[in-house]
Amino acid sequence: MLFRSPGHFRFICNGENVLHLEIQLGWQHRGVEQAMLEKQTLLQRNIVAETIAGDTTVGHSLTFARVMESLAGIETTTQLEVERAIALEMERIAIHTGDIAALCTDVAYNLGASIFAILRTLIINATQSWCGNRLGKSMIRVGGSLHPFTNELRNDFLKVLLQFEKPFVELAHQTYRMPSVENRFDEIGAISEEQARKIGAVGMVARMANVKRDIRQSHPSRAYIKYLYDPIILPRGDVFSRFLLRRKEIKKSLAWLRDVLNNEDFLIPSPPPPTEIKLKPSTLAISLTEGWRGEICHAAVTDSKGKLVMYKIKDPSMHNWKALELSLRNLEISDFPINNKSYNLSYCGYDL
């Protein structure tokens, strides 16, 4: 059986029971890494970074900015790093909430699907009020910011988080306790800790299978050094764990943001970004960010004249597609949609 999409899915079945799933990706070849070398201006490259994975605009553009800053020897301020982390956590909350809405849709819980989608809109509209784009485009720039965070925005964000949190917590708790939802989520699509470690799972997929992998703790930026983040780990590795991890991470991000917004003062605007930078010759730079899916990695190399000659991008989906294959074994084929949705992996993040 073939499932036609931007990837190739081959189900090997015995009746309705899936014995194995083979996934082949990467036959569109978008040429993103080559575009990074061909584009000659900093702005062009920054815009390319924003489109690596459309639902991870902040995560990928932030990783790009840091690798360029390393190559150029640019030191950013702690306040700018805090602003970037705010944008990153807002993206995490928005996508997680949208994913929970999608999971509710797949189990025909229409109230949850509608309300969670509405709540997601609160967060992305707050992002739009900050930078003019709901996905965070133009938010992250190398060496500075076009949209410095202000105390006025801080007050607005605190109101939005309060408006979001109460209905989210109430409905998420209700959804968590519904027998019909639990029956479709519980013990479906599980992977073990051993499997997660063997495939090198990262991000949510690792953490819901008892593997503690989170860049915010292992390789923290100054924002996460100043405001510590302790990742959430769950032991079971099934669809229910992926739902529950999203719920818990949203609450954790809300608490982290409230801690930052209540204790940080944004009196001095972050500096504007430079239009051009000079890269150091014969240099390798690597940048890591914990996007909402997991570990994002960008690596770049310059030649003896400081020209960019290699740019490599690794989206967390590169690691985690194998987990989807493994978790479908011995399930009915009708469980594929809910299992697939619970991962929400990126085709475009793989097909670079």
Side-chain angles (χ1 to χ4, degrees):
M1 178 183 297
L2 298 181
F3 176 73
R4 302 296 293 180
S5 72
H8 176 111
F9 290 70
R10 184 182 299 273
F11 297 86
I12 301 172
C13 302
N14 180 13
E16 291 294 308
N17 191 51
V18 179
L19 301 179
H20 183 57
L21 168 63
E22 295 177 354
I23 303 174
Q24 297 178 30
L25 304 170
W27 43 267
Q28 293 196 87
H29 304 299
R30 296 190 296 141
V32 175
E33 294 171 340
Q34 185 61 32
M36 282 293 192
L37 304 180
E38 293 174 352
K39 302 299 182 183
Q40 295 302 308
T41 70
L42 187 60
L43 178 59
Q44 287 174 328
R45 288 171 174 165
N46 214 142
I47 291 172
V48 169
E50 291 176 338
T51 61
I52 291 169
D55 56 13
T56 318
T57 297
V58 174
H60 273 288
S61 57
L62 175 53
T63 315
F64 164 80
R66 286 177 175 155
V67 82
M68 289 293 108
E69 287 160 359
S70 178
L71 286 174
I74 296 174
E75 284 289 334
T76 57
T77 65
T78 299
Q79 180 174 309
L80 179 61
E81 291 299 326
V82 169
E83 292 178 16
R84 290 170 167 181
I86 291 171
L88 192 66
E89 295 306 317
M90 290 290 284
E91 181 174 75
R92 192 182 317 278
I93 293 171
I95 302 299
H96 279 354
T97 306
D99 283 351
I100 292 175
L103 284 168
C104 288
T105 300
D106 271 15
V107 295
Y109 181 38
N110 294 329
L111 175 63
S114 299
I115 300 302
F116 285 124
I118 291 169
L119 292 174
R120 170 184 173 271
T121 303
L122 283 175
I123 301 300
I124 60 177
N125 282 352
T127 299
Q128 184 177 35
S129 72
W130 181 2
C131 70
N133 185 276
R134 298 200 299 173
L135 299 179
K137 290 185 177 181
S138 81
M139 176 82 75
I140 308 297
R141 291 292 182 260
V142 176
S145 176
L146 295 171
H147 307 281
F149 201 76
T150 64
N151 284 334
E152 183 181 358
L153 276 171
R154 176 184 63 183
N155 296 332
D156 291 342
F157 271 41
L158 284 169
K159 292 176 184 177
V160 168
L161 296 181
L162 185 63
Q163 188 180 1
F164 171 92
E165 185 169 21
K166 184 178 179 181
F168 174 81
V169 170
E170 181 179 343
L171 186 59
H173 181 68
Q174 178 179 323
T175 305
Y176 174 79
R177 295 173 62 88
M178 289 184 67
S180 59
V181 173
E182 185 175 356
N183 183 56
R184 289 294 291 122
F185 288 177
D186 201 25
E187 298 182 358
I188 299 295
I191 65 167
S192 66
E193 178 181 350
E194 181 184 8
Q195 287 174 322
R197 291 188 183 278
K198 282 183 176 179
I199 67 173
V202 298
M204 285 196 310
V205 176
R207 294 193 293 274
M208 61 87 193
N210 207 37
V211 180
K212 194 172 187 179
R213 284 193 180 142
D214 195 311
I215 297 301
R216 291 169 292 179
Q217 184 181 64
S218 62
H219 300 77
S221 68
R222 273 174 289 166
Y224 294 107
I225 292 173
K226 187 173 183 180
Y227 300 96
L228 299 179
Y229 187 96
D230 187 25
I232 295 165
I233 310 299
L234 297 178
R236 292 173 58 186
D238 57 1
V239 171
F240 195 81
S241 295
R242 293 188 279 281
F243 160 74
L244 185 59
L245 187 70
R246 285 180 169 90
R247 173 192 170 191
K248 288 179 174 291
E249 287 201 345
I250 288 170
K251 292 178 68 176
K252 187 89 170 183
S253 291
L254 289 169
W256 188 90
L257 284 169
R258 192 171 287 111
D259 184 30
V260 173
L261 296 174
N262 284 328
N263 290 283
E264 195 77 15
D265 205 355
F266 301 93
L267 287 173
I268 303 173
S270 291
T275 56
E276 289 298 333
I277 57 175
K278 185 176 181 180
L279 305 182
K280 292 183 284 187
S282 305
T283 303
L284 164 68
I286 298 174
S287 174
L288 298 173
T289 300
E290 187 68 27
W292 68 266
R293 276 195 186 92
E295 174 192 300
I296 301 169
C297 178
H298 288 206
V301 176
T302 58
D303 64 12
S304 59
K305 296 181 180 179
K307 180 183 177 182
L308 202 61
V309 293
M310 189 281 287
Y311 200 94
K312 184 64 182 176
I313 301 161
K314 194 271 303 172
D315 186 86
S317 298
M318 180 70 70
H319 294 271
N320 293 338
W321 275 107
K322 191 66 179 179
L324 176 58
E325 286 185 0
L326 294 172
S327 62
L328 202 65
R329 290 178 178 178
N330 299 316
L331 292 183
E332 292 186 4
I333 197 167
S334 58
D335 288 324
F336 172 74
I338 187 69
N339 198 29
N340 184 35
K341 190 68 64 64
S342 71
Y343 285 100
N344 190 12
L345 300 175
S346 176
Y347 294 101
C348 60
Y350 188 101
D351 194 3
L352 300 170

